[in-house]
Amino acid sequence: TPVTVIVGASHAGVQVAASLRDLDYPGEVVLIGDETHLPYHRPPLSKSLLHPHDAEGQVLRPASFYAQKRIGLRLSSGVDAIEPGERRVRLRDGETIGFDTLVLATGARARRIPIAGADRPNVLTLRALGDAVALSQRLAQARDVVVLGAGMIGLEFAAVAAAGGRNTTVIDTTERPLLRAVSVEMASYLKDLHEAHGVRFLFDNGIARIEGKGRAERVVTLDGQEIQADLVLIAAGVLPNVELAAEAGLAVDNGIVVDANLQTSAPGIYAVGDCAAFVAADGRRLRIESVQNATDQARCVAAAIVGRPEPYAKAPWFWSDQYTAKLQIAGLWTGYDRAIRRDTADGSGFALYLFAGDRLVCVEAINATADHVAARKILGEGIALTPMDVQTPGFDPKAHMR
Ligand code: FAD
């Protein structure tokens, strides 16, 4: 029987295995992780999981699922090398496993930046369950929290810290929050929201060094300000885990390079999720860090493995929770030249419709799930929606879902 080996047991890897079984793949499925826990949901790590009563984590699938579906889950093993010629992988303990098809779902890791003093015990990053547990324990005792990085994870953590009454400062080298993730207009809304909750932002700035006796007590910014800190989160983005692929001679370019079917430069070896650099509908090569991208790419690869390939062309979507604001994004904001705001009928939320010329590229919603759901459908199916439509009094996105 054929063997598919999947490296990385998280959102992408688990979904590849599950989809292979859904598609009646007749072979063996081996899913190799390098964490100790059953694969778990990562998004809560910067949200609900920071509240200590939730610290158990939420598993993606119960243990029984893997047994029932004949998925050979190997936790803690870790793949050390791929030998594409021999068609086998080598585990950390030296064991080798042969494959007919290999899927790389190695994800990404938190980027560490070389700041003096960043090795102190109360200076943390946030990627895995253990990080979130450590962070929530430290947060319970902290008074002054400094976050380096105004990206999604930095802001979500800042929201939890500020809502819990901590003095919270967010520092970023960029000029505004979420430079990679949302439009200027949405960034401005979220900045105001955080400031209303007491968060202080320092933009166009950074951390020169972290000082204190043993543990961090303050950070010194690039422009010389001293800020009290008994907890520092470095949330400076991620690096894709591409080393395995690169060492095996696969093409790598800010991620493992894949074609329209998510196949790497080596036949029969695929890459999915946070580690994969694919070509988007508009021709740009990109890497997307989201659960939607990981799971939809996983389904696409499973289809290719069972001989029914369909090029990956899903409209991206994403969510984030900050205070009581539920941000939901459909599409990619880059390239827009016009934002049209629509408030929900009951006034509790709004959506920004972002257009490049007359073409809708993205909808960013705050507490406006109906707009988000409609936008996913409209963008996903390429339904035309013009600025005029959105500006028409009584505009109802659902009416355009066809
Ligand atoms: P990962 O989840 O990174 O998993 C890769 C796995 O591979 C890891 O378990 C890793 O240990 C393992 N691995 C790596 N190398 C090896 C090896 N050599 N051998 C074996 N195993 C290996 N996305 C959203 O859409 N919405 C959100 O609200 C959201 N919030 C987030 C909050 C946090 C705190 C974080 C960290 C991420 C968040 N994300 C969110 C992003 C989302 O979690 C990722 O996009 C998703 O986890 C990607 O899945 P993946 O399987 O590709 O990679």
Side-chain angles (χ1 to χ4, degrees):
T1 55
V3 179
T4 293
V5 168
I6 304 161
V7 186
S10 180
H11 288 278
V14 170
Q15 186 63 51
V16 173
S19 292
L20 281 173
R21 289 304 180 221
D22 288 346
L23 296 172
D24 296 324
Y25 176 68
E28 231 184 281
V29 176
V30 184
L31 177 58
I32 307 172
D34 68 352
E35 299 190 65
T36 49
H37 314 273
L38 269 186
Y40 56 87
H41 287 275
R42 226 169 268 284
L45 302 186
S46 49
K47 307 178 181 78
S48 60
L49 213 80
L50 292 168
H51 301 290
H53 60 273
D54 280 339
E56 288 300 290
Q58 301 171 15
V59 295
L60 287 172
R61 311 274 188 165
S64 57
F65 173 83
Y66 301 95
Q68 264 162 24
K69 299 283 180 180
R70 290 176 299 112
I71 295 166
L73 178 60
R74 310 268 308 245
L75 295 175
S76 319
S77 301
V79 168
D80 224 16
I82 305 166
E83 298 170 4
E86 285 77 23
R87 299 204 85 66
R88 65 184 186 199
V89 296
R90 184 174 295 279
L91 305 189
R92 240 158 245 162
D93 65 5
E95 185 190 345
T96 56
I97 301 177
F99 62 79
D100 297 282
T101 307
L102 180 66
V103 183
L104 299 174
T106 48
R109 60 183 181 271
R111 195 157 72 90
R112 291 175 189 279
I113 37 184
I115 298 173
D119 52 350
R120 288 162 199 255
N122 52 340
V123 180
L124 301 172
T125 56
L126 176 53
R127 180 74 195 180
L129 184 55
D131 300 332
V133 171
L135 201 55
S136 74
Q137 286 165 354
R138 297 257 175 204
L139 183 63
Q141 270 135 55
R143 204 186 55 186
D144 302 300
V145 172
V146 171
V147 179
L148 181 65
M152 223 40 111
I153 290 171
L155 289 194
E156 288 181 354
F157 179 68
V160 173
R166 309 302 185 279
N167 291 327
T168 307
T169 306
V170 178
I171 305 175
D172 202 298
T173 50
T174 60
E175 74 215 17
R176 67 157 172 102
L178 299 169
L179 191 68
R180 290 187 314 131
V182 302
S183 68
V184 178
E185 290 82 355
M186 182 54 74
S188 161
Y189 167 81
L190 290 169
K191 177 171 175 276
D192 292 348
L193 179 69
H194 278 269
E195 284 175 341
H197 284 83
V199 172
R200 185 159 71 112
F201 285 104
L202 298 178
F203 289 111
D204 297 310
N205 211 332
I207 296 182
R209 58 185 184 279
I210 299 171
E211 296 179 341
K213 294 190 205 82
R215 50 203 296 288
E217 290 165 14
R218 66 193 157 274
V219 306
V220 181
T221 62
L222 290 178
D223 64 354
Q225 300 177 55
E226 289 194 359
I227 301 166
Q228 293 300 315
D230 43 28
L231 177 57
V232 180
L233 176 68
I234 309 285
V238 299
L239 294 175
N241 293 321
V242 299
E243 289 74 8
L244 267 186
E247 283 158 20
L250 308 188
V252 162
D253 177 10
N254 172 40
I256 304 169
V257 171
V258 292
D259 66 14
N261 294 315
L262 308 174
Q263 189 166 235
T264 68
S265 56
I269 304 184
Y270 297 85
V272 285
D274 278 21
C275 69
F278 68 102
V279 178
D282 63 4
R284 280 180 303 159
R285 186 171 287 286
L286 36 111
R287 228 170 32 73
I288 294 185
E289 296 154 15
S290 77
V291 168
Q292 170 276 321
N293 181 70
T295 49
D296 281 341
Q297 288 193 339
R299 292 187 182 101
C300 179
V301 160
I305 294 171
V306 299
R308 280 179 261 157
E310 232 182 76
Y312 180 68
K314 287 278 189 278
W317 58 266
F318 189 84
W319 79 95
S320 172
D321 299 320
Q322 295 169 38
Y323 311 102
T324 54
K326 183 165 194 66
L327 168 67
Q328 293 172 299
I329 304 171
L332 296 177
W333 69 278
T334 44
Y336 84 106
D337 48 36
R338 183 165 178 202
I340 302 173
R341 176 177 165 139
R342 185 187 97 90
D343 293 313
T344 58
D346 64 2
S348 63
F350 69 91
L352 296 173
Y353 286 75
L354 307 180
F355 289 91
D358 267 351
R359 191 169 54 88
L360 183 72
V361 292
C362 183
V363 175
E364 297 171 334
I366 292 284
N367 299 336
T369 297
D371 288 73
H372 173 69
V373 170
R376 266 161 60 178
K377 179 115 196 201
I378 289 165
L379 289 164
E381 297 184 6
I383 298 168
L385 185 77
T386 65
M388 273 248 285
D389 293 330
V390 180
Q391 283 168 318
T392 304
F395 163 68
D396 178 3
K398 288 199 295 295
H400 293 263
M401 281 168 61
R402 198 162 44 199

